[in-house]
Amino acid sequence: MLCWFVVQAVQAEEAWLQRSQAILQALEGQPRPGWLNGQSEQLDVKRQAQQVLETSQAIQTEALSIGSTKLASDQPITPSSKPLTLLFVSFSLGDKVLKSIFEEAAGRDDVLLVFRGPKPAQKLPALMADLNRLLKDIDPLPNIFIDPTRFQRWSVSSIPAIVVEVDGKPRLQVRGVSSLAWLDEQLKADKQGDLGTLGDVTKIAEIDFLEELKRRMASIDWKQKQQQAIARFWAQQKFEALPTAQADRNRTVDMTITVPRDLAAPNGQWIIRAGQTINPLDKMPFGLCLMVFDATVPAQVELIQHQSCQDKQARVMYLATSLPRQSGWDSLKHLETTLKAPVYLLTPDVRSRFQLQQVPAVVEQSGNHLLVRERKLPVSTGERS
């Protein structure tokens, strides 16, 4: 049983290599890697985009009247064969006109009032406050959404504008009109198509939030952020440092365990009873030869290169207790080139599992035990560089 956990731990160590290789590939001119998603600049952009969505949802689901909070209608769910009216609005229409539009759209599940975003330099809480002020005393609430994608989809560049959708396609379009009563008459008369501009239009006061996000993303120096992320990674990396061996020493590790509880197969057949002891090496070979060393000490790297495994069929795995923080990835690449093999970082569970105490050391199977061979460095070469 324990051997299975050993294999699992080894597989976890191999995952570290895959992550390191992915980062190394990203550094070689590849597009911005996903692991940079934690950077503050990108998080800020994402946070603002999320705020747009949350603001829209908040307007949709909360009554914004001062001093009270109650549920408003959810997003209108109209059959796809029925028309959905999109009335594009902006604060450039003025408070009086906007409030009139809000009052006319109140309770209309087939009408969405669509804003493009906040005004320039306006924070989303301020936008909410402006809407809160205009929605005071309106009950039920109209359906208000912040959705720059719809502005782009229907090429709305001035307001007011109306688009009536049926099955996601435009049935009627008109600019310069905000009256829903007038629109209802046109729909009853089965008017269709682009009716043109039938009234005064004005510029949109709010920013196109999607374009603003694109602009901010484009202004970020991703190469610099990569370098900063790499520096932070190694600065924050915790190493499992071990002292340098002062003498050659061989130790054996008994892998025998006492089973804490009964184990049964899915068919109910008992595999082993609680209290029984088992040595997984009696059932399954270890199959690995672990080379554990401090990569910041050149003498340890050189010594480990010349160590051999007793079992020539065992798979060699290199575990570093530490790497230079200032040149982490470059050192890792150089080390893997030197050893012609992947290099993994030693983790606390692996250190504990194989009772590692000093380095450099070689761990491999000997009979039904693990043999840990610690090796002393040549004289005057044990100093850390």
Side-chain angles (χ1 to χ4, degrees), residues 109-214:
D109 286 344
D110 61 330
V111 175
L112 301 187
L113 304 181
V114 189
F115 284 84
R116 192 168 68 173
K119 289 178 282 189
Q122 183 185 42
K123 301 296 184 181
L124 288 174
L127 170 60
M128 292 285 285
D130 285 344
L131 291 172
N132 182 43
R133 172 174 50 82
L134 294 178
L135 289 167
K136 184 180 180 181
D137 299 327
I138 297 179
D139 187 19
L141 291 174
N143 296 297
I144 302 176
F145 287 84
I146 298 175
D147 189 352
T149 63
R150 278 190 160 113
F151 275 80
Q152 291 187 359
R153 180 181 180 185
W154 300 117
S155 301
V156 176
S157 57
S158 60
I159 49 85
I162 294 176
V163 175
V164 179
E165 292 182 354
V166 178
D167 293 327
K169 298 179 181 179
R171 171 181 169 180
L172 181 149
Q173 293 177 271
V174 64
R175 289 161 293 283
V177 177
S178 62
S179 171
L180 295 177
W182 175 87
L183 177 67
D184 290 340
E185 291 298 323
Q186 308 308 306
L187 294 176
K188 289 179 181 178
D190 200 27
K191 293 289 184 67
Q192 297 187 30
D194 191 337
L195 303 185
T197 302
L198 303 182
D200 294 335
V201 295
T202 187
K203 293 181 179 179
I204 302 170
E206 294 74 29
I207 63 173
D208 184 325
F209 210 83
L210 289 182
E211 292 302 320
E212 177 65 10
L213 292 180
K214 291 178 183 178

Side-chain angles (χ1 to χ4, degrees), residues 50 60 118 128 152 156 167 172 200 220 225 260 296 308 324 331 337-338 341 347 367:
Q50 182 65 24
Q60 159 195 333
M128 292 285 285
Q152 291 187 359
V156 176
D167 293 327
L172 181 149
D200 294 335
I220 295 175
K225 300 310 170 189
T296 66
S308 60
S331 296
T337 299
T338 299
T347 59

Side-chain angles (χ1 to χ4, degrees), residues 110-354:
D110 61 330
V111 175
L112 301 187
L113 304 181
V114 189
F115 284 84
R116 192 168 68 173
K119 289 178 282 189
Q122 183 185 42
K123 301 296 184 181
L124 288 174
L127 170 60
M128 292 285 285
D130 285 344
L131 291 172
N132 182 43
R133 172 174 50 82
L134 294 178
L135 289 167
K136 184 180 180 181
D137 299 327
I138 297 179
D139 187 19
L141 291 174
N143 296 297
I144 302 176
F145 287 84
I146 298 175
D147 189 352
T149 63
R150 278 190 160 113
F151 275 80
Q152 291 187 359
R153 180 181 180 185
W154 300 117
S155 301
V156 176
S157 57
S158 60
I159 49 85
I162 294 176
V163 175
V164 179
E165 292 182 354
V166 178
D167 293 327
K169 298 179 181 179
R171 171 181 169 180
L172 181 149
Q173 293 177 271
V174 64
R175 289 161 293 283
V177 177
S178 62
S179 171
L180 295 177
W182 175 87
L183 177 67
D184 290 340
E185 291 298 323
Q186 308 308 306
L187 294 176
K188 289 179 181 178
D190 200 27
K191 293 289 184 67
Q192 297 187 30
D194 191 337
L195 303 185
T197 302
L198 303 182
D200 294 335
V201 295
T202 187
K203 293 181 179 179
I204 302 170
E206 294 74 29
I207 63 173
D208 184 325
F209 210 83
L210 289 182
E211 292 302 320
E212 177 65 10
L213 292 180
K214 291 178 183 178
R215 185 190 66 78
R216 294 186 186 187
M217 292 285 284
S219 67
I220 295 175
D221 186 343
W222 292 112
K223 185 175 182 180
Q224 180 186 41
K225 300 310 170 189
Q226 283 181 337
Q227 294 171 348
Q228 292 174 350
I230 292 168
R232 280 193 296 270
F233 175 87
W234 289 109
Q236 298 169 3
Q237 180 64 48
K238 294 182 179 179
F239 295 119
E240 288 297 306
L242 292 172
T244 301
Q246 300 301 309
D248 289 349
R249 181 175 63 157
N250 293 345
R251 299 182 294 106
T252 57
V253 178
D254 187 356
M255 304 296 285
T256 300
I257 62 170
T258 299
V259 179
R261 59 184 178 84
D262 294 339
L263 296 177
N267 61 6
Q269 181 180 356
W270 290 108
I271 298 176
I272 189 170
R273 296 282 187 175
Q276 288 186 268
T277 59
I278 183 172
N279 185 339
L281 295 180
D282 290 332
K283 305 295 183 180
M284 183 183 299
F286 184 50
L288 295 174
C289 178
L290 306 181
M291 301 282 186
V292 190
F293 63 102
D294 187 339
T296 66
V297 181
Q300 289 200 28
V301 177
E302 182 178 357
L303 187 146
I304 213 71
Q305 285 181 269
H306 297 92
Q307 294 299 301
S308 60
C309 304
Q310 295 178 355
D311 181 2
K312 303 304 179 183
Q313 303 301 316
R315 181 162 67 93
V316 177
M317 177 176 288
Y318 293 99
L319 300 177
T321 62
S322 184
L323 283 166
R325 293 187 185 276
Q326 296 300 318
S327 58
W329 294 118
D330 289 337
S331 296
L332 176 61
K333 289 169 63 176
H334 177 73
L335 186 61
E336 292 184 335
T337 299
T338 299
L339 298 176
K340 299 179 181 179
V343 177
Y344 308 84
L345 281 180
L346 179 66
T347 59
D349 58 334
V350 173
R351 173 183 178 178
S352 174
R353 185 179 299 115
F354 301 120

Side-chain angles (χ1 to χ4, degrees), residues 50 52-62 144-146:
Q50 182 65 24
V52 171
L53 174 61
E54 291 174 352
T55 299
S56 177
Q57 293 172 339
I59 296 170
Q60 159 195 333
T61 58
E62 293 184 28
I144 302 176
F145 287 84
I146 298 175

